[in-house]
Amino acid sequence: MSGLSNPRPHPRKLSRFRGSRDKVIPAFQTTPAALGGYPVTHSRHSLLSVVGFVFACAITAMAQPATTPSSRSPVPPQAKITEAEKLVKDLFKADYAKKKAADHIELAKRLLTAADETKDDPATRYVMYREARDYAAKGGDVFMALEAADRIAGAFAVNPAEAKLAALELADKFSVPGAIIESAFAAIDDAMRVNDYASAARLVKLATGAAGRAKIPGLATLLATRPKEIEITRKGFEGLVAERKVLATTPDDPIAASRVGRFLCLSKGDWETGLRLLTKGEDEKLKAVAEKELAKPSTTQGKLEVADVWYGLADGLDPMEKAEAKLRAYDWYQQIAREVTGLDKVRVDNRVAELTKLPEQKAERVRGNFWMVIFRSDDPAIWNTATKLGRDQFAIPVDKVPSGVKYLKMIETVINNFIIIEMSNMRLAEQTEQDGIGWNGKNEHTFNGHHLGVFNRAWPNTERGTVPILGAVPACRGWGFGHRSYLNDIQAYAWNGEPIAKVVIEISVKFTPLTPDETKKLLRKKK
């Protein structure tokens, strides 16, 4: 198998009979930083690899329950803010006097903690969050700056996109370009989602400037298409002012529901909301297919009918809508590609081949050619949850991962070794296997250990103290989390089939093709 050659001896490999309660060595003490804002080399590889965590943090923010306007406080009056600024700068006078980047980050941490604990003084809380955002940015910590921006928007009635934009514009002066590019990509989508097209346009400009400095081939060209898309979507949104007003008072109005539903599905990709509106609409074709989708067809024939309708409707739409409709058809065709037979199989295979580039093109346009971190922790219990407790306690629900996943990467963060396997959205939370290489995303807790990671069917788990990633019989070793065989005492960790000490493992996904170097790490069965 390529990618399975024995690596250099792991510096923290364990005896199979030892415990794994060793002190955890934080990844940032032993490896190049994996996050934007921490020291990295300015190679193209580094710029692309350091930023997936920042993007994932933005996705996690979207995955959290939305803060309702009524639960947020109004922004305090300027007089109160000015008074609070004096108080905060006096209380943290010694911290403000320090000038190093690390000192700015430490101040930001202290301000965030103090702000979280301040419940009865809105003005002081607002100022501490804002100062935390600004000093994290000045220290080059993009993640913390965005986290502070999220907390401002969560506690006060401010525009979330503008809060992130302010953080990124300041961080752009102090951070590596790669972190700015990736976080801007995510923030553009965030702004579009809340119909803040002005902020989206400014974020594109910000990302374009950072891309120029990073000198990543093709990125500037990729970003050049976004302003037009933003402008088309803005005009579509503003052209539905009357219809949105009608729906506010008459939610079942068929004309308004049809027009707004079509815009949400085919221009914004908000299928969940748009499909519900289309079922109330006057367009009979869109209404019928929306009803079929929301009925969640379980049979191959039912799914095929939905796919065929979207494929057929696409040709009568404008270019942006056409692409979205065909993407929807592709998603449904993909689900049944291995189930259909006869002439249906011929048609489905032809259409999958025709449409296969669309998800890749959209993913690159919207998210860039980056890895998106979906888990980073030494605690597998948080897999597939909404957890954001710092860079080494991070996870997002797999159903919040954008569609179009092609690959999954696991990184052991002590020596920064990694492996890559093919992946899809539907496989992320399942146990699946291709050509002897398996993925266990179920994360079942048995024998005192969670089981999560990649396993090799050729590596059976037969010895006392070995660590199976696939706990079920026949158990198999690999990379990730498991239990200690025949001891069944603690959560255990493994890499390349061998037990290792407790370690932070990062799991990320990619929506676009692998680079030549990444392809070398793709686990495949030997031919």
Side-chain angles (χ1 to χ4, degrees):
M1 301 176 66
S2 65
L4 294 183
S5 59
N6 290 326
R8 60 190 173 91
H10 195 288
R12 302 171 66 219
K13 188 176 292 186
L14 292 177
S15 161
R16 291 175 181 166
F17 304 100
R18 284 180 53 200
S20 59
R21 301 184 188 276
D22 300 8
K23 181 179 177 182
V24 180
I25 302 175
F28 66 86
Q29 292 180 3
T30 57
T31 65
L35 308 179
Y38 290 90
V40 294
T41 58
H42 284 67
S43 69
R44 179 177 182 272
H45 174 74
S46 297
L47 290 173
L48 291 176
S49 64
V50 299
V51 294
F53 186 77
V54 181
F55 175 47
C57 294
I59 294 293
T60 305
M62 299 170 206
Q64 304 297 330
T67 304
T68 59
S70 60
S71 69
R72 300 190 296 169
S73 303
V75 175
Q78 185 56 48
K80 292 283 187 181
I81 291 176
T82 301
E83 183 180 328
E85 286 172 345
K86 293 178 181 177
L87 173 64
V88 169
K89 290 186 177 180
D90 182 59
L91 289 173
F92 293 89
K93 185 176 180 179
D95 298 278
Y96 275 103
K98 298 175 182 178
K99 303 301 180 184
K100 294 181 180 179
D103 296 326
H104 292 333
I105 292 171
E106 188 59 35
L107 172 58
K109 290 179 183 177
R110 295 191 63 196
L111 288 166
L112 276 177
T113 301
D116 287 342
E117 296 172 352
T118 302
K119 308 296 185 182
D120 57 354
D121 187 346
T124 302
R125 190 182 195 199
Y126 177 83
V127 167
M128 287 192 289
Y129 277 144
R130 190 196 63 193
E131 291 289 289
R133 178 197 68 190
D134 292 351
Y135 272 79
K138 290 177 181 178
D141 192 328
V142 180
F143 165 61
M144 192 182 299
L146 289 172
E147 172 66 15
D150 280 341
R151 295 194 196 183
I152 294 171
F156 296 94
V158 301
N159 182 319
E162 289 182 355
K164 288 185 177 179
L165 176 62
L168 290 174
E169 286 181 332
L170 183 57
D172 189 39
K173 302 174 183 177
F174 302 96
S175 302
V176 294
I180 298 298
I181 295 165
E182 180 64 6
S183 49
F185 264 99
I188 291 166
D189 281 352
D190 222 358
M192 296 279 282
R193 208 177 328 275
V194 297
N195 302 304
D196 184 354
Y197 301 104
S199 292
R202 288 174 63 188
L203 285 160
V204 170
K205 184 177 181 180
L206 182 72
T208 301
R213 297 195 303 278
K215 298 180 180 178
I216 300 174
L219 195 54
T221 302
L222 189 66
L223 284 162
T225 65
R226 297 307 304 272
K228 183 179 179 180
E229 293 172 5
I230 292 169
E231 182 63 11
I232 290 172
T233 309
R234 181 191 67 79
K235 287 181 177 178
F237 175 75
E238 293 178 355
L240 293 170
V241 172
E243 286 82 357
R244 287 184 282 114
K245 286 181 178 178
V246 169
L247 289 176
T249 56
T250 315
D252 295 330
D253 182 89
I255 297 176
S258 188
R259 292 177 181 175
V260 175
R262 173 173 169 164
F263 170 77
L264 290 175
C265 288
L266 298 175
S267 293
K268 295 196 69 177
D270 182 357
W271 290 89
E272 183 178 354
T273 308
L275 287 172
R276 289 199 298 269
L277 285 172
L278 288 177
T279 62
K280 304 174 182 180
E282 62 172 354
D283 188 312
E284 291 301 326
K285 289 184 178 180
L286 290 175
K287 180 177 180 178
V289 71
E291 288 173 344
K292 287 181 179 180
E293 282 227 27
L294 292 176
K296 300 186 183 302
S298 58
T299 66
T300 300
Q301 186 59 35
K303 295 174 183 178
L304 178 59
E305 289 174 3
V306 173
D308 284 343
V309 171
W310 284 120
Y311 185 88
L313 287 172
D315 287 335
L317 303 173
D318 66 44
M320 281 184 63
E321 289 184 327
K322 180 177 181 178
E324 196 66 36
K326 287 199 169 184
L327 272 170
R328 194 66 172 182
Y330 176 81
D331 288 342
W332 283 100
Y333 284 135
Q334 279 283 82
Q335 292 183 41
I336 57 173
R338 296 185 180 183
E339 301 172 7
V340 288
T341 58
L343 293 178
D344 285 340
K345 178 171 177 56
V346 174
R347 184 171 80 260
V348 170
D349 286 349
N350 287 341
R351 290 181 178 176
V352 167
E354 173 196 341
L355 304 175
T356 191
K357 290 289 185 182
L358 286 177
E360 180 182 305
Q361 290 166 353
K362 181 178 180 181
E364 187 170 11
R365 186 177 74 252
V366 174
R367 290 181 282 277
N369 191 27
F370 300 104
W371 289 91
M372 172 185 165
V373 178
I374 61 174
F375 171 90
R376 183 182 171 93
S377 180
D378 58 12
D379 179 9
I382 70 169
W383 166 255
N384 197 15
T385 66
T387 301
K388 189 166 63 169
L389 300 175
R391 61 179 177 172
D392 288 342
Q393 287 295 315
F394 176 85
I396 68 173
V398 297
D399 63 0
K400 299 298 182 183
V401 177
S403 62
V405 168
K406 285 182 170 291
Y407 301 98
L408 179 144
K409 177 168 68 173
M410 290 186 67
I411 302 176
E412 185 277 285
T413 60
V414 170
I415 60 174
N416 227 26
N417 203 356
F418 68 93
I419 58 169
I420 297 172
I421 61 172
E422 293 179 347
M423 184 52 60
S424 69
N425 290 77
M426 289 186 287
R427 294 177 58 205
L428 282 171
E430 300 298 328
Q431 178 192 311
T432 60
E433 187 176 330
Q434 292 182 353
D435 295 327
I437 295 296
W439 163 251
N440 185 5
K442 286 189 172 182
N443 198 30
E444 293 173 327
H445 187 268
T446 56
F447 305 113
N448 283 317
H450 285 268
H451 296 77
L452 172 68
V454 176
F455 61 90
N456 183 357
R457 183 61 72 181
W459 295 348
N461 199 74
T462 57
E463 297 182 37
R464 179 181 174 89
T466 53
V467 179
I469 307 304
L470 178 61
V473 178
C476 298
R477 294 174 289 125
W479 302 259
F481 304 91
H483 73 279
R484 297 203 303 164
S485 290
Y486 305 106
L487 298 174
N488 307 337
D489 51 354
I490 56 174
Q491 179 64 61
Y493 306 77
W495 198 259
N496 207 26
E498 296 294 333
I500 61 173
K502 186 176 182 180
V503 64
V504 170
I505 290 178
E506 179 180 290
I507 300 174
S508 56
V509 293
K510 194 173 188 182
F511 309 85
T512 53
L514 299 177
T515 66
D517 285 342
E518 290 169 344
T519 302
K520 295 175 184 177
K521 288 286 189 175
L522 181 63
L523 302 188
R524 292 193 181 107
K525 187 177 181 180
K526 275 187 176 180
K527 295 183 179 179

